[in-house]
Coordinates of all heavy atoms in Angstrom, one line a residue:
M1 N -36.6 -30.3 -77.5 CA -35.7 -30.4 -78.6 C -36.4 -30.0 -79.9 O -37.5 -30.1 -80.1 CB -35.4 -32.0 -78.7 CG -34.7 -32.6 -77.5 SD -34.0 -34.1 -78.0 CE -32.2 -33.6 -78.5
A2 N -35.6 -29.6 -80.8 CA -36.1 -29.1 -82.2 C -36.4 -30.5 -83.1 O -35.7 -31.4 -83.0 CB -35.0 -28.3 -82.9
E3 N -37.5 -30.2 -83.8 CA -37.9 -31.3 -84.6 C -37.3 -31.0 -86.1 O -37.2 -29.9 -86.4 CB -39.5 -31.4 -84.8 CG -40.0 -31.8 -83.5 CD -41.6 -32.0 -83.7 OE1 -42.0 -32.3 -84.9 OE2 -42.3 -31.8 -82.8
H4 N -36.7 -32.2 -86.6 CA -36.1 -32.0 -88.0 C -37.1 -32.6 -89.0 O -37.6 -33.7 -88.9 CB -34.8 -32.9 -88.1 CG -33.8 -32.3 -87.1 ND1 -33.1 -31.0 -87.3 CD2 -33.4 -32.9 -85.9 CE1 -32.3 -30.8 -86.3 NE2 -32.4 -31.9 -85.5
A5 N -37.4 -31.8 -90.0 CA -38.3 -32.2 -91.0 C -37.6 -33.1 -92.1 O -36.3 -32.8 -92.3 CB -38.8 -31.0 -91.8
P6 N -38.1 -34.2 -92.4 CA -37.3 -35.0 -93.4 C -37.1 -34.3 -94.7 O -37.9 -33.4 -95.1 CB -38.3 -36.2 -93.6 CG -39.6 -35.7 -93.2 CD -39.4 -34.7 -92.2
T7 N -36.0 -34.6 -95.4 CA -35.6 -33.9 -96.6 C -36.4 -34.5 -97.9 O -36.4 -33.8 -98.8 CB -34.1 -34.1 -96.8 OG1 -33.8 -35.6 -96.9 CG2 -33.3 -33.4 -95.8
S8 N -36.9 -35.7 -97.6 CA -37.7 -36.2 -98.7 C -38.9 -37.0 -98.0 O -38.8 -37.4 -96.9 CB -36.9 -37.2 -99.6 OG -36.5 -38.3 -99.0
P9 N -40.0 -37.1 -98.8 CA -41.1 -37.9 -98.3 C -40.7 -39.3 -98.0 O -39.9 -39.9 -98.7 CB -42.2 -37.8 -99.3 CG -41.7 -36.7 -100.2 CD -40.2 -36.6 -100.1
P10 N -41.3 -40.0 -97.0 CA -40.9 -41.4 -96.8 C -41.2 -42.2 -98.0 O -42.3 -42.2 -98.7 CB -41.9 -41.8 -95.7 CG -42.3 -40.5 -95.0 CD -42.3 -39.5 -96.1
G11 N -40.4 -43.1 -98.4 CA -40.4 -44.0 -99.5 C -39.9 -43.4 -100.8 O -39.9 -44.2 -101.8
D12 N -39.5 -42.1 -100.9 CA -39.0 -41.6 -102.0 C -37.5 -41.6 -102.1 O -36.9 -41.4 -103.2 CB -39.4 -40.2 -102.2 CG -40.8 -40.0 -102.7 OD1 -41.4 -41.0 -103.0 OD2 -41.4 -38.9 -102.6
M13 N -36.8 -42.0 -101.1 CA -35.3 -41.9 -101.1 C -34.7 -43.1 -101.9 O -35.2 -44.2 -101.6 CB -34.9 -41.9 -99.6 CG -33.4 -41.4 -99.4 SD -33.0 -41.0 -97.8 CE -32.7 -42.6 -97.1
D14 N -33.7 -42.8 -102.5 CA -32.9 -44.0 -103.2 C -32.0 -44.6 -102.2 O -31.0 -43.9 -101.7 CB -32.2 -43.4 -104.4 CG -31.6 -44.5 -105.2 OD1 -31.9 -45.8 -105.1 OD2 -30.6 -44.2 -105.9
I15 N -32.1 -45.9 -102.0 CA -31.2 -46.6 -100.9 C -30.4 -47.6 -101.4 O -29.8 -48.3 -100.7 CB -32.2 -47.1 -99.8 CG1 -33.1 -48.2 -100.4 CG2 -33.0 -46.1 -99.0 CD1 -33.8 -49.0 -99.3
R16 N -30.1 -47.5 -102.7 CA -29.2 -48.6 -103.3 C -27.8 -48.4 -102.7 O -27.2 -49.5 -102.5 CB -29.2 -48.5 -104.9 CG -30.5 -48.9 -105.5 CD -30.3 -48.8 -107.0 NE -30.2 -47.3 -107.3 CZ -30.7 -46.8 -108.4 NH1 -31.4 -47.7 -109.3 NH2 -30.7 -45.5 -108.7
Q17 N -27.1 -47.3 -102.6 CA -25.9 -47.2 -102.0 C -25.9 -47.7 -100.6 O -24.9 -48.3 -100.1 CB -25.4 -45.7 -102.0 CG -25.0 -45.2 -103.3 CD -24.5 -43.7 -103.4 OE1 -24.9 -43.0 -102.5 NE2 -23.5 -43.5 -104.2
H18 N -27.0 -47.4 -99.9 CA -27.0 -47.9 -98.4 C -27.2 -49.4 -98.4 O -26.4 -50.1 -97.6 CB -28.2 -47.3 -97.7 CG -28.5 -47.7 -96.4 ND1 -27.7 -47.4 -95.3 CD2 -29.3 -48.8 -95.9 CE1 -28.1 -48.1 -94.2 NE2 -29.1 -48.9 -94.5
E19 N -27.9 -50.0 -99.3 CA -27.9 -51.4 -99.3 C -26.6 -52.0 -99.8 O -26.3 -53.1 -99.2 CB -29.0 -51.9 -100.4 CG -30.5 -51.6 -99.8 CD -31.5 -51.9 -100.9 OE1 -31.1 -52.0 -102.1 OE2 -32.7 -52.0 -100.5
A20 N -25.8 -51.4 -100.7 CA -24.6 -51.9 -101.2 C -23.6 -51.9 -100.1 O -22.8 -52.8 -99.7 CB -24.1 -51.1 -102.4
S21 N -23.6 -50.7 -99.3 CA -22.6 -50.5 -98.1 C -23.0 -51.6 -97.0 O -22.1 -52.2 -96.5 CB -22.7 -49.2 -97.5 OG -22.4 -48.2 -98.4
F22 N -24.3 -51.8 -96.8 CA -24.6 -52.8 -95.7 C -24.2 -54.2 -96.1 O -23.6 -55.0 -95.3 CB -26.2 -52.8 -95.5 CG -26.6 -53.7 -94.4 CD1 -26.4 -53.5 -93.0 CD2 -27.3 -54.9 -94.8 CE1 -26.7 -54.3 -92.1 CE2 -27.6 -55.7 -93.8 CZ -27.4 -55.5 -92.5
E23 N -24.4 -54.6 -97.4 CA -24.0 -55.9 -97.9 C -22.5 -56.1 -97.8 O -22.0 -57.1 -97.4 CB -24.5 -56.0 -99.5 CG -25.8 -56.5 -99.7 CD -26.0 -57.9 -99.1 OE1 -25.2 -58.8 -99.2 OE2 -27.0 -58.2 -98.3
G24 N -21.8 -55.1 -98.2 CA -20.2 -55.1 -98.0 C -19.8 -55.3 -96.6 O -18.9 -56.1 -96.3
F25 N -20.5 -54.5 -95.7 CA -20.2 -54.7 -94.2 C -20.5 -56.1 -93.8 O -19.7 -56.7 -93.1 CB -21.0 -53.6 -93.5 CG -20.9 -53.8 -91.9 CD1 -19.7 -53.4 -91.3 CD2 -21.9 -54.5 -91.2 CE1 -19.6 -53.6 -89.9 CE2 -21.7 -54.6 -89.9 CZ -20.6 -54.2 -89.2
V26 N -21.7 -56.7 -94.2 CA -22.0 -57.9 -93.8 C -21.0 -59.0 -94.3 O -20.5 -59.9 -93.6 CB -23.5 -58.3 -94.1 CG1 -23.8 -59.8 -94.0 CG2 -24.4 -57.5 -93.3
R27 N -20.6 -58.8 -95.5 CA -19.7 -59.8 -96.2 C -18.3 -59.7 -95.5 O -17.8 -60.7 -95.1 CB -19.6 -59.4 -97.6 CG -18.8 -60.5 -98.4 CD -18.9 -60.2 -99.9 NE -20.3 -60.3 -100.4 CZ -21.0 -59.4 -101.1 NH1 -20.4 -58.2 -101.2 NH2 -22.2 -59.7 -101.4
L28 N -17.9 -58.5 -95.2 CA -16.5 -58.2 -94.7 C -16.6 -58.9 -93.2 O -15.7 -59.6 -92.8 CB -16.2 -56.8 -94.5 CG -14.8 -56.5 -93.9 CD1 -13.7 -57.1 -94.7 CD2 -14.8 -55.1 -93.6
T29 N -17.7 -58.6 -92.5 CA -17.8 -59.2 -91.1 C -17.9 -60.8 -91.1 O -17.1 -61.4 -90.3 CB -19.1 -58.7 -90.3 OG1 -19.0 -57.2 -90.4 CG2 -19.2 -59.2 -89.0
K30 N -18.6 -61.3 -92.0 CA -18.7 -62.8 -92.1 C -17.4 -63.5 -92.4 O -17.1 -64.3 -91.7 CB -19.7 -63.1 -93.2 CG -20.1 -64.5 -93.4 CD -21.3 -64.6 -94.3 CE -21.1 -64.2 -95.8 NZ -22.2 -64.5 -96.7
W31 N -16.8 -62.9 -93.4 CA -15.5 -63.7 -93.9 C -14.3 -63.2 -92.9 O -13.5 -64.1 -92.7 CB -15.2 -63.3 -95.3 CG -16.3 -63.9 -96.2 CD1 -17.1 -63.2 -96.9 CD2 -16.5 -65.3 -96.4 NE1 -17.9 -64.1 -97.6 CE2 -17.6 -65.3 -97.4 CE3 -15.9 -66.4 -96.0 CZ2 -18.1 -66.6 -97.8 CZ3 -16.5 -67.7 -96.5 CH2 -17.6 -67.7 -97.3
G32 N -14.4 -62.1 -92.3 CA -13.4 -61.7 -91.4 C -13.4 -62.5 -90.1 O -12.5 -63.0 -89.6
S33 N -14.6 -62.8 -89.7 CA -14.9 -63.6 -88.5 C -14.4 -65.0 -88.7 O -13.7 -65.6 -87.9 CB -16.3 -63.7 -88.0 OG -16.7 -62.3 -87.7
L34 N -14.7 -65.7 -90.0 CA -14.3 -66.9 -90.2 C -12.6 -66.9 -90.3 O -12.1 -67.9 -89.7 CB -14.8 -67.3 -91.6 CG -14.3 -68.7 -92.1 CD1 -14.7 -69.9 -91.1 CD2 -14.7 -69.1 -93.4
T35 N -12.0 -65.9 -90.9 CA -10.5 -65.8 -90.9 C -10.0 -65.8 -89.4 O -9.0 -66.5 -89.1 CB -10.1 -64.7 -91.7 OG1 -10.7 -64.7 -93.0 CG2 -8.6 -64.5 -91.7
V36 N -10.5 -65.0 -88.6 CA -10.0 -65.0 -87.2 C -10.3 -66.3 -86.5 O -9.3 -66.8 -85.8 CB -10.7 -63.7 -86.5 CG1 -10.4 -63.8 -85.0 CG2 -10.3 -62.4 -87.0
A37 N -11.4 -66.9 -86.7 CA -11.7 -68.1 -86.0 C -10.7 -69.2 -86.4 O -10.2 -70.1 -85.5 CB -13.1 -68.6 -86.3
V38 N -10.5 -69.3 -87.7 CA -9.6 -70.3 -88.3 C -8.1 -70.1 -87.8 O -7.5 -71.1 -87.3 CB -9.6 -70.5 -89.8 CG1 -8.5 -71.2 -90.4 CG2 -10.9 -71.0 -90.3
L39 N -7.7 -68.9 -87.8 CA -6.3 -68.6 -87.3 C -6.2 -68.9 -85.8 O -5.2 -69.4 -85.3 CB -5.9 -67.1 -87.5 CG -5.7 -66.8 -89.1 CD1 -5.4 -65.3 -89.3 CD2 -4.4 -67.6 -89.6
L40 N -7.2 -68.5 -85.1 CA -7.2 -68.7 -83.6 C -7.2 -70.2 -83.3 O -6.4 -70.7 -82.5 CB -8.3 -68.1 -83.0 CG -8.4 -68.0 -81.4 CD1 -7.2 -67.3 -80.8 CD2 -9.6 -67.3 -81.0
L41 N -7.9 -71.0 -84.0 CA -8.0 -72.5 -83.8 C -6.6 -73.1 -84.2 O -6.1 -73.9 -83.4 CB -9.1 -73.0 -84.6 CG -9.2 -74.5 -84.5 CD1 -9.5 -75.0 -83.2 CD2 -10.2 -75.1 -85.5
F42 N -6.1 -72.6 -85.3 CA -4.8 -73.2 -85.7 C -3.6 -72.9 -84.7 O -3.0 -73.9 -84.3 CB -4.4 -72.6 -87.1 CG -3.0 -72.9 -87.5 CD1 -2.6 -74.2 -87.7 CD2 -2.1 -71.9 -87.6 CE1 -1.2 -74.5 -88.2 CE2 -0.8 -72.2 -87.9 CZ -0.3 -73.4 -88.2
F43 N -3.5 -71.6 -84.3 CA -2.4 -71.3 -83.4 C -2.7 -71.9 -82.0 O -1.7 -72.3 -81.4 CB -2.1 -69.8 -83.3 CG -1.6 -69.2 -84.6 CD1 -2.2 -68.4 -85.3 CD2 -0.3 -69.6 -84.9 CE1 -1.5 -67.9 -86.4 CE2 0.4 -69.2 -86.0 CZ -0.3 -68.3 -86.8
T44 N -3.9 -71.9 -81.5 CA -4.1 -72.5 -80.2 C -4.0 -74.0 -80.2 O -3.3 -74.6 -79.4 CB -5.7 -72.3 -79.8 OG1 -5.8 -70.9 -79.8 CG2 -5.9 -72.9 -78.4
S45 N -4.4 -74.7 -81.3 CA -4.1 -76.2 -81.4 C -2.7 -76.5 -81.6 O -2.1 -77.5 -81.0 CB -4.9 -76.8 -82.6 OG -6.2 -76.5 -82.4
W46 N -1.9 -75.7 -82.3 CA -0.5 -75.9 -82.5 C 0.3 -75.6 -81.3 O 1.2 -76.5 -81.0 CB 0.0 -75.0 -83.8 CG 1.5 -75.0 -84.0 CD1 2.3 -76.1 -83.8 CD2 2.2 -74.0 -84.7 NE1 3.6 -75.7 -84.2 CE2 3.6 -74.5 -84.8 CE3 1.9 -72.8 -85.3 CZ2 4.5 -73.8 -85.5 CZ3 2.8 -72.1 -86.0 CH2 4.2 -72.6 -85.9
I47 N 0.1 -74.6 -80.6 CA 1.0 -74.2 -79.6 C 0.5 -74.7 -78.2 O 1.4 -75.0 -77.3 CB 1.1 -72.6 -79.5 CG1 1.8 -72.0 -80.8 CG2 1.9 -72.1 -78.4 CD1 1.7 -70.6 -80.9
C48 N -0.7 -74.7 -77.9 CA -1.2 -75.0 -76.6 C -1.7 -76.5 -76.3 O -2.2 -76.8 -75.3 CB -2.4 -74.0 -76.3 SG -1.8 -72.3 -76.2
T49 N -1.6 -77.2 -77.4 CA -2.0 -78.6 -77.2 C -1.0 -79.6 -77.7 O 0.1 -79.2 -78.2 CB -3.3 -79.1 -78.0 OG1 -3.1 -78.9 -79.4 CG2 -4.5 -78.0 -77.6
T50 N -1.3 -80.9 -77.6 CA -0.2 -81.8 -78.0 C -0.5 -82.2 -79.5 O 0.2 -83.0 -80.2 CB -0.3 -83.1 -77.3 OG1 -1.6 -83.6 -77.4 CG2 0.2 -82.9 -75.8
A51 N -1.4 -81.5 -80.2 CA -1.7 -81.8 -81.7 C -0.6 -81.4 -82.5 O -0.4 -82.1 -83.5 CB -3.0 -81.1 -82.1
G52 N 0.1 -80.4 -82.1 CA 1.3 -80.0 -83.1 C 0.8 -79.2 -84.2 O -0.4 -78.9 -84.4
F53 N 1.8 -78.9 -85.1 CA 1.6 -78.1 -86.2 C 0.6 -78.8 -87.1 O -0.3 -78.2 -87.6 CB 2.9 -77.9 -87.0 CG 2.7 -77.0 -88.3 CD1 2.5 -75.8 -88.3 CD2 2.8 -77.8 -89.6 CE1 2.4 -75.0 -89.4 CE2 2.5 -77.1 -90.6 CZ 2.5 -75.6 -90.6
L54 N 0.8 -80.1 -87.4 CA 0.1 -80.7 -88.5 C -1.3 -81.0 -87.9 O -2.3 -80.8 -88.7 CB 0.5 -82.1 -88.8 CG 0.1 -82.9 -89.9 CD1 0.1 -82.1 -91.1 CD2 0.7 -84.3 -90.1
G55 N -1.6 -81.3 -86.7 CA -2.8 -81.3 -86.0 C -3.6 -80.1 -86.0 O -4.9 -80.0 -86.4
G56 N -3.0 -79.0 -85.8 CA -3.6 -77.7 -85.8 C -4.0 -77.3 -87.2 O -5.0 -76.7 -87.5
L57 N -3.0 -77.7 -88.2 CA -3.4 -77.4 -89.6 C -4.5 -78.2 -90.0 O -5.5 -77.5 -90.8 CB -2.2 -77.7 -90.4 CG -2.3 -77.3 -91.9 CD1 -2.4 -75.8 -92.1 CD2 -1.0 -77.8 -92.7
I58 N -4.7 -79.3 -89.7 CA -5.9 -80.2 -90.1 C -7.1 -79.7 -89.5 O -8.1 -79.5 -90.3 CB -5.7 -81.6 -89.8 CG1 -4.5 -82.2 -90.6 CG2 -6.9 -82.5 -89.9 CD1 -4.0 -83.6 -90.2
L59 N -7.1 -79.4 -88.3 CA -8.4 -78.7 -87.6 C -8.7 -77.4 -88.3 O -9.8 -77.1 -88.5 CB -8.1 -78.5 -86.1 CG -8.1 -79.8 -85.3 CD1 -7.7 -79.5 -83.8 CD2 -9.6 -80.4 -85.3
A60 N -7.7 -76.6 -88.6 CA -8.1 -75.2 -89.2 C -8.6 -75.5 -90.7 O -9.5 -74.7 -91.0 CB -6.7 -74.4 -89.2
L61 N -8.1 -76.5 -91.3 CA -8.5 -76.6 -92.7 C -9.8 -77.1 -92.7 O -10.7 -76.7 -93.6 CB -7.5 -77.5 -93.5 CG -6.2 -76.9 -93.9 CD1 -5.3 -77.9 -94.6 CD2 -6.4 -75.7 -94.8
I62 N -10.2 -78.1 -91.7 CA -11.5 -78.6 -91.7 C -12.5 -77.4 -91.3 O -13.7 -77.4 -91.9 CB -11.7 -79.7 -90.7 CG1 -10.9 -81.0 -91.2 CG2 -13.1 -80.1 -90.3 CD1 -10.8 -82.0 -90.2
T63 N -12.2 -76.6 -90.4 CA -13.0 -75.5 -90.0 C -13.1 -74.5 -91.1 O -14.3 -74.1 -91.3 CB -12.4 -74.7 -88.8 OG1 -12.2 -75.7 -87.7 CG2 -13.2 -73.5 -88.2
L64 N -12.2 -74.2 -91.9 CA -12.3 -73.4 -93.0 C -13.2 -74.0 -94.1 O -14.1 -73.2 -94.6 CB -10.8 -73.2 -93.6 CG -10.7 -72.3 -94.9 CD1 -11.2 -70.9 -94.5 CD2 -9.3 -72.2 -95.5
A65 N -13.1 -75.2 -94.4 CA -14.0 -75.7 -95.3 C -15.4 -75.7 -95.0 O -16.4 -75.4 -95.7 CB -13.5 -77.3 -95.6
L66 N -15.7 -76.1 -93.7 CA -17.1 -76.0 -93.1 C -17.6 -74.6 -93.0 O -18.8 -74.4 -93.5 CB -17.1 -76.5 -91.7 CG -17.1 -78.1 -91.6 CD1 -16.9 -78.5 -90.1 CD2 -18.2 -78.7 -92.3
G67 N -16.7 -73.6 -92.8 CA -17.1 -72.2 -92.8 C -17.4 -71.7 -94.1 O -18.4 -71.0 -94.4
I68 N -16.6 -72.1 -95.1 CA -17.0 -71.7 -96.6 C -18.2 -72.4 -97.0 O -19.0 -71.7 -97.7 CB -15.8 -72.1 -97.5 CG1 -14.5 -71.3 -97.2 CG2 -16.2 -72.0 -98.9 CD1 -13.4 -71.7 -97.9
F69 N -18.4 -73.6 -96.6 CA -19.7 -74.3 -97.1 C -20.9 -73.6 -96.5 O -21.9 -73.4 -97.2 CB -19.6 -75.7 -96.6 CG -20.9 -76.4 -96.9 CD1 -21.2 -76.9 -98.3 CD2 -21.8 -76.8 -95.9 CE1 -22.3 -77.5 -98.5 CE2 -22.9 -77.5 -96.3 CZ -23.1 -77.8 -97.6
F70 N -20.8 -73.2 -95.2 CA -22.0 -72.6 -94.6 C -22.2 -71.1 -94.8 O -23.2 -70.6 -94.6 CB -22.0 -72.9 -93.1 CG -22.4 -74.4 -92.7 CD1 -21.5 -75.3 -92.2 CD2 -23.6 -74.9 -93.0 CE1 -21.7 -76.5 -91.9 CE2 -23.9 -76.3 -92.7 CZ -23.0 -77.0 -92.2
L71 N -21.1 -70.5 -95.0 CA -21.2 -69.0 -95.1 C -21.3 -68.5 -96.6 O -21.4 -67.3 -96.8 CB -20.0 -68.3 -94.4 CG -20.0 -68.6 -92.9 CD1 -18.6 -67.8 -92.4 CD2 -21.1 -67.9 -92.3
R72 N -21.1 -69.5 -97.5 CA -21.1 -69.0 -99.0 C -22.5 -68.4 -99.3 O -23.5 -68.6 -98.7 CB -20.8 -70.0 -99.9 CG -22.0 -71.1 -100.1 CD -21.5 -72.3 -100.8 NE -22.5 -73.2 -101.2 CZ -23.1 -74.0 -100.3 NH1 -22.7 -74.2 -99.1 NH2 -24.1 -74.8 -100.7
D73 N -22.5 -67.5 -100.2 CA -23.8 -66.8 -100.8 C -24.7 -67.8 -101.4 O -24.2 -68.5 -102.2 CB -23.5 -65.7 -101.8 CG -22.7 -64.5 -101.1 OD1 -22.9 -64.3 -99.9 OD2 -22.0 -63.8 -101.8
K74 N -25.8 -67.8 -101.0 CA -26.9 -68.8 -101.5 C -27.5 -68.2 -102.7 O -27.7 -67.0 -102.9 CB -28.0 -69.1 -100.4 CG -27.5 -69.4 -99.1 CD -26.7 -70.7 -99.0 CE -26.5 -71.1 -97.7 NZ -25.4 -70.4 -96.9
P75 N -28.0 -69.0 -103.8 CA -28.7 -68.6 -104.9 C -29.9 -67.9 -104.5 O -30.6 -68.2 -103.5 CB -29.0 -69.8 -105.7 CG -28.0 -70.8 -105.3 CD -27.7 -70.4 -103.8
E76 N -30.4 -66.9 -105.1 CA -31.6 -66.2 -104.8 C -32.8 -67.1 -104.7 O -33.7 -66.8 -103.8 CB -31.9 -65.1 -105.9 CG -31.0 -63.9 -105.8 CD -31.1 -63.2 -104.4 OE1 -32.2 -63.0 -104.0 OE2 -30.1 -62.8 -104.0
S77 N -32.9 -68.1 -105.6 CA -34.1 -69.0 -105.5 C -34.1 -69.8 -104.3 O -35.1 -70.2 -103.6 CB -34.1 -69.9 -106.6 OG -33.0 -70.7 -106.8
A78 N -32.9 -70.3 -103.6 CA -32.9 -71.0 -102.5 C -33.0 -70.1 -101.2 O -33.4 -70.6 -100.1 CB -31.5 -71.7 -102.3
A79 N -32.9 -68.7 -101.3 CA -33.0 -67.9 -100.2 C -34.4 -67.6 -99.9 O -34.6 -67.0 -98.9 CB -32.3 -66.6 -100.4
G80 N -35.4 -68.0 -100.6 CA -36.8 -67.8 -100.4 C -37.3 -66.5 -100.9 O -38.3 -66.0 -100.4
H81 N -36.6 -65.9 -101.8 CA -37.0 -64.5 -102.4 C -37.9 -64.8 -103.6 O -37.8 -65.4 -104.5 CB -35.9 -63.7 -102.7 CG -35.3 -63.1 -101.4 ND1 -34.0 -63.4 -101.2 CD2 -35.8 -62.6 -100.4 CE1 -33.8 -62.9 -99.8 NE2 -34.9 -62.4 -99.4

């Protein structure tokens, strides 16, 4: 296999765009997963159990509140940086 020479010396590359893209991907994945989980719980509880619409809605809202609490962005000082 042919070896590829790096285009810049290690440590010289500007990675701010990469970091911003990665942060956006992580944020989208995190909140998208919470949305899917809440909707899945709501519809499953509503349609497949005796909880009904109101029971499913209550479970979904509790899950949403807990998800927002645990997945929110932490201040930099609390994150250990």
Side-chain angles (χ1 to χ4, degrees):
M1 298 199 94
E3 292 186 32
H4 298 286
T7 57
S8 64
D12 283 350
M13 197 164 80
D14 183 20
I15 61 169
R16 286 183 294 216
Q17 285 184 328
H18 176 73
E19 288 175 340
S21 296
F22 182 75
E23 275 296 316
F25 173 76
V26 168
R27 190 173 295 124
L28 179 68
T29 303
K30 180 171 64 170
W31 295 111
S33 297
L34 177 63
T35 302
V36 169
V38 167
L39 288 173
L40 187 62
L41 178 66
F42 169 67
F43 285 118
T44 302
S45 299
W46 178 20
I47 296 169
C48 299
T49 67
T50 59
F53 177 80
L54 190 57
L57 183 63
I58 291 170
L59 285 173
L61 290 175
I62 291 170
T63 304
L64 180 63
L66 288 172
I68 290 171
F69 177 76
F70 286 113
L71 295 179
R72 72 187 189 283
D73 291 333
K74 311 296 188 281
E76 287 297 321
S77 62
H81 290 120

